[in-house]
Amino acid sequence: MDIGNESTFMAGTNLAAGAARGSETCGALTGLLMALGIVSGRKRIDDVDAYQTSMRLAMEAREIFLKQVGNTICADIQKSLLGRSFKMSDDKEREMFHNAGGHTREKCPGVCGKAAAIAGEVIFREGLY
């Protein structure tokens, strides 16, 4: 699926580790919502129909994500995957996260994969791509 461009990818950079390493809303979920916005979002502030459609899809996708992952907050997802959360803005804590397996396929990258799959399912089902 070719949605977005280099600028889109760059814009998502700071979503990592719960928005600027703040352990808040999961960056994978935020990326999922961005992908849906790219294909269904409004182009003008007064396009209420596009807003409503995009928001309906975003709310549905968030609920699916929540059911599959168990939470939408980065720190809480870390805790469920690794037994504790890490202060990702701290170099030592971030290294501990990595050493605990946080970047292994079944941990945070797995959450990203789930978010991407949800985005793809919604986008294809709705005929948006």
Side-chain angles (χ1 to χ4, degrees):
M1 188 176 331
D2 184 26
I3 295 175
N5 55 29
E6 185 179 77
S7 294
T8 307
F9 187 75
M10 291 170 66
T13 297
N14 297 323
L15 303 177
R21 295 183 177 159
S23 298
E24 296 164 353
T25 301
C26 174
L29 172 60
T30 308
L32 156 60
L33 299 176
M34 284 177 59
L36 290 176
I38 288 170
V39 297
S40 70
R42 61 184 171 185
K43 295 178 183 174
R44 295 179 333 273
I45 194 73
D46 62 345
D47 189 347
V48 176
D49 290 338
Y51 170 80
Q52 294 293 0
T53 297
S54 191
M55 191 57 70
R56 175 182 56 80
L57 298 176
M59 291 168 55
E60 174 192 355
R62 182 191 173 279
E63 285 303 310
I64 295 168
F65 181 91
L66 180 58
K67 287 178 186 170
Q68 288 186 13
V69 176
N71 212 304
T72 62
I73 303 299
C74 177
D76 294 333
I77 294 169
Q78 289 177 20
K79 193 171 186 176
S80 69
L81 294 174
L82 300 165
R84 63 162 283 202
S85 63
F86 298 83
K87 185 175 181 180
M88 299 299 281
S89 60
D90 180 272
D91 292 341
K92 289 182 183 179
E93 284 275 314
R94 201 167 51 259
E95 182 178 354
M96 290 170 58
F97 168 82
H98 179 74
N99 291 338
H103 289 122
T104 57
R105 179 176 286 255
E106 64 277 358
K107 303 302 182 195
C108 282
V111 173
C112 294
K114 288 177 183 179
I118 294 165
E121 290 170 15
V122 172
I123 289 166
F124 283 119
R125 182 196 73 215
E126 295 292 318
L128 297 169
Y129 187 80

